[in-house]
Amino acid sequence: MFIHTDDITAYIPQRTPIVMISGILEVRDNITRTGLQIAADNLFVEDGVLQSPGLLENMAQTAAARVGYIALQENTPVPIGFIGAVKDFEVFAFPPAGSFIETTTEIQSQVFNATMVAAKVTLNGQLMAQCELKIFINP
């Protein structure tokens, strides 16, 4: 069940073919969850599975969706952010095209315009990938 799917691009700066989330599942406290139905023709699908760049972009867009969701709730412009660093990026398995993955980000700390988030991607409860992202928001 998605909170928002009709126009996910209202919450993130990416546009097709780089959109890597299908919708927002949850935004509460420091946690955001999104879902992605992996299409066979996804830009990052190769040999029938979503590759590392797609998993990383999916995690980053989940963090961005939170910022966009909150901005729109507060009736303010959606700010643009960028990844400043990726730490401990690990892929345990590559989800196949046609599957539905869930991605969770949890804010670990915020200092000025820098936010550290822990991110993980799961498929049917199995951990596919994880990392920490340092994200900078352009004020």
Side-chain angles (χ1 to χ4, degrees):
M1 172 180 122
F2 288 112
I3 294 175
H4 294 283
T5 57
D6 30 336
D7 186 9
I8 196 63
T9 59
Y11 302 93
I12 60 174
Q14 291 81 5
R15 297 296 177 258
T16 303
I18 305 293
V19 174
M20 293 301 298
I21 57 177
S22 300
I24 298 170
L25 297 168
E26 176 181 29
V27 176
R28 69 172 165 80
D29 304 322
N30 288 336
I31 295 174
T32 304
R33 285 188 321 116
T34 64
L36 172 65
Q37 185 69 47
I38 304 170
D41 64 351
N42 182 298
L43 180 65
F44 297 111
V45 168
E46 191 174 301
D47 299 324
V49 296
L50 186 64
Q51 298 294 316
S52 296
L55 290 164
L56 186 58
E57 184 62 27
N58 170 260
M59 290 186 267
Q61 287 185 27
T62 298
R66 173 190 185 77
V67 174
Y69 176 82
I70 291 170
L72 290 176
Q73 294 299 306
E74 296 173 348
N75 209 22
T76 60
V78 175
I80 302 294
F82 60 93
I83 299 171
V86 176
K87 182 179 174 188
D88 299 328
F89 179 59
E90 297 178 277
V91 177
F92 304 103
F94 296 100
S99 62
F100 181 83
I101 57 174
E102 289 189 21
T103 304
T104 304
T105 58
E106 183 173 3
I107 295 173
Q108 303 295 299
S109 63
Q110 285 183 287
V111 179
F112 301 112
N113 67 336
T115 304
M116 289 294 297
V117 299
K120 65 179 181 176
V121 177
T122 60
L123 172 61
N124 299 323
Q126 179 185 352
L127 186 61
M128 298 279 109
Q130 67 184 10
C131 73
E132 289 183 18
L133 299 167
K134 183 184 287 184
I135 299 169
F136 292 92
I137 303 297
N138 193 3

